[in-house]
Amino acid sequence: MENVTILTHPLLQHKISILRDKNTGTNEFRKLVEEIAMLMGFEALSDLPTEDVEVETPIETCMTPMIAGRKLAIVPILRAGLGMVSGITALVPTAKIGHIGMYRDEVTHEPHEYYCKLPSPIEERLIVVTDPMLATGGSAIDAVDQIKKHGGKNIKFLCIIAAPEGLQRFHEAHPDVQIYVGHLDRQLNENAYICPGLGDAGDRIFGTK
Ligand code: PRP
Ligand code: URA
């Protein structure tokens, strides 16, 4: 699938394995989500444009690259996407942050939007959408629909774990979005949870339930 990158770095896979463990507590879970987001962000932002600027070192003056052009907006899908924001702002502290609130109906598994606030203007920004879980793909598709309605064009999506069904659906709905996946899991179960997955990402990050 064009525009889909499944990451394989051993450090990333190691951290994802600890996340999956049901005995990993909230504190460690949160820290790992942050670290994983930083590693994924490092990879996803490897094509950021740079421009040479003049810098005076203690030895001499030189032309040296700095990040140029498009400004970054990070847009977490609430709640669980919030856990990934600090990992990316650690890389790009000047990024603006938008929020999209989505919850899945427990019976139909359909996403419902309850909040949307994006940095304005959004058109010229590179937008990095974060959500640890891509299950049926419904939340990701609706979130990106919203961002595009507001004028967003250049969009990357970072998820820690994806199900094949949801990844396929999301990619078909938004083929222009560059998708970065920490690990592609086996399948969804009858409750639309990812198997083997890690359970409910929002509950594990925030210690609810
Ligand atoms: C989870 C997850 C995604 C969504 C994925 O959120 O963080 O947003 O489910 O499922 P989908 O691909 O089938 O749409 P949830 O609705 O549980 O809300 P929460 O983050 O507030 O717990
Ligand atoms: N949302 C989650 O948090 N986990 C899943 O496995 C599916 C959706």
Side-chain angles (χ1 to χ4, degrees), residues 79-80 104 131-136 139 161 163 185 187-189 191-204:
R79 291 177 297 167
R104 278 197 334 175
D131 193 331
M133 310 304 275
L134 182 71
T136 65
S139 304
I161 295 181
D185 272 17
Q187 65 184 100
L188 295 176
N189 68 13
N191 296 318
Y193 270 79
I194 301 175
C195 306
L198 50 72
D200 187 305
D203 284 344
R204 295 199 64 187

Side-chain angles (χ1 to χ4, degrees), residues 9-139:
H9 197 293
L11 287 174
L12 188 65
Q13 299 311 313
H14 178 88
K15 288 177 194 293
I16 292 173
S17 297
I18 305 173
L19 270 193
R20 293 185 190 279
D21 188 334
K22 66 177 186 183
N23 295 314
T24 298
T26 303
N27 188 20
E28 193 183 1
F29 194 93
R30 248 183 236 147
K31 280 189 198 142
L32 283 163
V33 168
E34 183 179 337
E35 287 169 11
I36 289 167
M38 195 190 306
L39 293 172
M40 293 187 69
F42 187 75
E43 178 64 33
L45 298 176
S46 64
D47 60 355
L48 279 184
T50 60
E51 65 186 351
D52 281 348
V53 298
E54 192 176 283
V55 168
E56 201 177 338
T57 79
I59 310 299
E60 62 178 38
T61 299
C62 64
M63 297 300 286
T64 188
M66 304 250 301
I67 301 298
R70 287 181 208 262
K71 300 255 193 303
L72 190 72
I74 306 167
V75 180
I77 301 178
L78 310 183
R79 291 177 297 167
L82 274 179
M84 299 173 72
V85 172
S86 56
I88 301 173
T89 54
L91 299 173
V92 188
T94 55
K96 298 276 193 286
I97 301 171
H99 296 87
I100 295 186
M102 291 272 179
Y103 72 89
R104 278 197 334 175
D105 184 285
E106 283 185 10
V107 177
T108 66
H109 311 132
E110 287 297 315
H112 294 275
E113 185 193 315
Y114 58 88
Y115 189 76
C116 182
K117 182 82 179 169
L118 302 174
S120 179
I122 195 89
E123 290 82 355
E124 295 306 314
R125 289 184 185 275
L126 167 61
I127 301 157
V128 175
V129 183
T130 62
D131 193 331
M133 310 304 275
L134 182 71
T136 65
S139 304

Side-chain angles (χ1 to χ4, degrees), residues 158-178:
L158 270 56
C159 63
I160 298 177
I161 295 181
E165 304 91 316
L167 181 60
Q168 179 82 30
R169 202 174 145 217
F170 181 38
H171 178 59
E172 278 169 16
H174 294 292
D176 55 307
V177 172
Q178 285 183 281

